[in-house]
Amino acid sequence: MSLGAVIAGAWRDNVLVSALVELTYRCNLDCFYCYNDLGLPGEPLSRAQWERLFEDLAAMQVLQLTLTGGEPLAHPDFFALGRRARELGFLIRIKSNGHAVDEARARRLRDEVDPFLVEVSLHGAGPESHDRQTLVPGSFERLLGNLGAMARVGLRVKLNATLTAWNEGEIEAMFALADRLGLRLGFGATVTPRDDGDATPLSIAPSRAAVARLYRVLGERTPDPPATATSPEGCTPPPAAEKNCGAGSSGIAVDPHGNVYPCVQWRRPLGNLHQASIREIWASSPVLAGVRGLTVEAKRRRDGLGETGRWMAFCPGLSEQRTGDPLGVEPGALARAEVLRQVRTGAAPAAGTEAVVRRAPPPGAELGAAVVPPAGAAARRRTLLPVIA
């Protein structure tokens, strides 16, 4: 049986395969386009509640557990929770900014948590672009040093990057850096609003020309380039699937306050772990039942778009955030799909698809200028800093 058939079966039968948990929204960086809702109300889950969640997920035979944040290492019980996840037999992925993973912590990660993969954010090919995004001077050089430490202790590492107006001139240089480090680089083209609806990050969305260049570079470097406009992992439907994605069917996301969502992008609460267990939410949430039906409708919606739909990374969560309708087509997805179609086929632009990818930048956010976040944003975000050396 092919992997695609296995995935399609999990989506069809609602078999929970993967869970992503945001342990904390605390962070030692202050990234300009961070999507976390730092004003989200609620009581953080205790260590005991996180462990109970992990135990329930293990009883449900969940394969993969992703630990993220914020910066997951900023959670005071990170290593204890990581050890418990390892004891329960999960395939563990860690999404980190890498800023705190010096050699001592890298060794602890290897020895105590043994992650299958550590995914680390890269925002540019040098300090000017990377540190501009993190708003922490010196973060690029520190990251390079920590990546070296992770390599020395034998951690499996992958770099993740998002194309922005600030790094779009460095696509090839960022791949060259990853090659020198001997690391794989995943490169996405979608900048999203914050989970509270703040659209400020969209001011640094990449230009259409840069998105096209990224797709060309990916095509040159990858024997089997993406079939859609850089869908996140697990979001591209296998040919036999009746659903658009595995949101709420094979995967879930959990925030620091115990809210359960269909996925990290689709912030429609399914239930809360302070009131119900994940097994109860998975089995009986009426909201989750509705989400599963919407993923079927989303597949039909995408298929109904014809040639454009074939190239599109259709995300109901992002569509709901941008348009108010999970079955709506947000303009950025349409534009990226058209760019990918042109790059892969050499075709001329389709009529009515010339929408730009980037919004006009706010004052002070032009390329080459220092960014001044909106009034109150910096203070709101930096109240969480510093949390880990």
Side-chain angles (χ1 to χ4, degrees):
M1 181 180 291
S2 69
L3 177 60
V6 171
I7 294 172
W11 291 8
R12 180 191 64 239
D13 299 334
N14 302 319
V15 176
L16 186 57
V17 174
S18 178
L20 179 147
V21 298
E22 299 171 330
L23 294 177
T24 180
Y25 285 159
R26 292 182 176 273
C27 191
N28 45 5
L29 300 179
D30 196 18
C31 293
F32 179 77
Y33 68 14
C34 177
Y35 59 80
N36 291 156
D37 178 4
L38 301 187
L40 186 70
E43 179 69 23
L45 294 179
S46 66
R47 173 178 165 182
Q49 287 173 306
W50 282 120
E51 290 180 342
R52 191 174 309 121
L53 169 64
F54 295 177
E55 290 158 6
D56 284 346
L57 292 172
M60 296 168 72
Q61 298 186 322
V62 169
L63 171 67
Q64 178 173 272
L65 182 66
T66 300
L67 307 178
T68 184
E71 170 51 48
L73 274 74
H75 191 286
D77 296 316
F78 170 80
F79 281 102
L81 292 173
R83 287 193 300 272
R84 185 60 181 139
R86 178 186 183 181
E87 291 167 358
L88 291 166
F90 292 109
L91 183 154
I92 301 169
R93 296 168 72 129
I94 297 171
K95 292 181 179 285
S96 171
N97 60 40
H99 194 69
V101 190
D102 57 15
E103 189 149 347
R105 289 193 181 96
R107 290 186 184 281
R108 289 194 68 186
L109 277 178
R110 181 197 63 191
D111 296 341
E112 298 179 37
V113 184
D114 188 24
F116 169 75
L117 189 65
V118 180
E119 300 185 48
V120 178
S121 301
L122 178 70
H123 303 295
E128 182 179 13
S129 51
H130 184 92
D131 294 4
R132 185 180 186 190
Q133 156 68 8
T134 66
L135 298 177
V136 175
S139 57
F140 178 77
E141 295 300 334
R142 181 163 174 175
L143 175 62
L144 292 186
N146 287 351
L147 289 171
M150 287 184 253
R152 286 192 296 276
V153 305
L155 286 174
R156 293 173 287 270
V157 178
K158 173 178 174 280
L159 297 174
N160 289 333
T162 298
L163 187 65
T164 71
W166 295 346
N167 65 24
E168 64 178 37
E170 304 177 353
I171 296 171
E172 293 85 354
M174 291 172 71
F175 276 110
L177 173 61
D179 290 343
R180 288 197 302 274
L181 295 171
L183 298 174
R184 185 159 62 99
L185 172 60
F187 219 133
T190 306
V191 177
T192 66
R194 296 195 177 108
D195 289 337
D196 61 2
D198 180 2
T200 302
L202 299 183
S203 66
I204 61 167
S207 67
R208 187 185 185 96
V211 173
R213 194 167 79 255
L214 174 62
Y215 292 160
R216 283 194 294 270
V217 171
L218 289 172
E220 293 165 359
R221 293 179 58 90
T222 310
D224 184 21
T228 61
T230 58
S231 297
E233 287 186 50
C235 293
T236 302
E242 66 171 5
K243 295 178 178 177
N244 179 72
C245 62
S249 294
S250 66
I252 53 158
V254 183
D255 75 19
H257 306 301
N259 296 303
V260 180
Y261 305 102
C263 74
V264 70
Q265 181 62 59
W266 201 346
R267 296 280 162 162
R268 182 183 286 200
L270 310 175
N272 186 282
L273 296 175
H274 287 295
Q275 283 83 46
S277 72
I278 190 60
R279 285 190 277 192
E280 292 168 330
I281 293 169
W282 188 254
S284 60
S285 166
V287 181
L288 180 54
V291 162
R292 290 167 178 165
L294 283 169
T295 60
V296 175
E297 292 301 316
K299 178 65 159 50
R300 293 174 183 157
R301 175 78 170 103
R302 177 181 168 181
D303 289 347
L305 294 172
E307 181 71 5
T308 298
R310 188 168 76 86
W311 298 101
M312 180 180 292
F314 186 87
C315 175
L318 185 57
S319 292
E320 184 164 88
Q321 185 185 44
R322 298 296 310 280
T323 72
D325 179 3
L327 302 181
V329 180
E330 60 102 5
L334 193 64
R336 287 185 293 274
E338 176 58 18
V339 171
L340 182 62
R341 185 187 73 86
Q342 291 175 53
V343 169
R344 293 283 183 266
T345 67
T353 59
E354 294 82 6
V356 296
V357 179
R358 183 191 298 166
R359 292 173 46 146
E366 294 83 3
L367 289 181
V371 171
V372 180
R380 176 179 69 88
R381 301 180 70 73
R382 288 175 181 159
T383 54
L384 300 183
L385 305 173
V387 292
I388 190 170

